[in-house]
Amino acid sequence: MKRVVLLLLSAGLALWGQSTTQSLQGLVTDNSGAVVPGARITITNAATGVTRTVETNTTGNYSFQLVEVGDYEVRCEIQGFKTETVRGLRVETAAQARQNFVMQ
């Protein structure tokens, strides 16, 4: 009986540690390699249609926290550059997703 209880407790603890959200981050540069601050990055969950938007910081980096596992469209736009879109970016459990952009 003790073994069964310990086994059930162990299984419950393993499931409790699983996360269903991750981070998605990246760097935006221009075609010369210079960072692009102030670019608007929009992610859209393909299954739910939910969108979120952030801007790149002064070092050209962006980050979304607590991103649900799933497939995403990621769009990068800023005045003076061509809008870039990546479709089908997969965010997985226990793995940080990264999408860099080189703006033209």
Side-chain angles (χ1 to χ4, degrees):
M1 182 67 166
K2 287 182 182 180
R3 289 183 190 170
V4 173
V5 171
L6 285 175
L7 181 62
L8 290 174
L9 285 174
S10 297
L13 288 175
L15 290 176
W16 185 59
Q18 297 277 333
S19 174
T20 59
T21 60
Q22 299 305 320
S23 66
L24 171 59
Q25 54 198 359
L27 173 67
V28 179
T29 59
D30 66 14
N31 57 5
S32 73
V35 299
V36 179
R40 185 169 58 192
I41 311 297
T42 303
I43 61 172
T44 304
N45 183 307
T48 65
V50 173
T51 64
R52 292 170 55 189
T53 301
V54 298
E55 286 191 2
T56 55
N57 62 19
T58 57
T59 62
N61 289 287
Y62 71 90
S63 180
F64 291 92
Q65 300 301 312
L66 302 175
V67 178
E68 290 188 13
V69 170
D71 294 317
Y72 287 83
E73 175 183 285
V74 185
R75 186 176 68 237
C76 179
E77 55 191 333
I78 187 167
Q79 187 174 1
F81 292 93
K82 178 183 169 197
T83 297
E84 299 289 336
T85 303
V86 172
R87 291 178 178 82
L89 178 69
R90 181 75 185 163
V91 174
E92 295 283 354
T93 300
Q96 290 184 349
R98 183 163 193 87
Q99 180 61 56
N100 296 329
F101 288 95
V102 177
M103 303 303 287
Q104 304 297 314

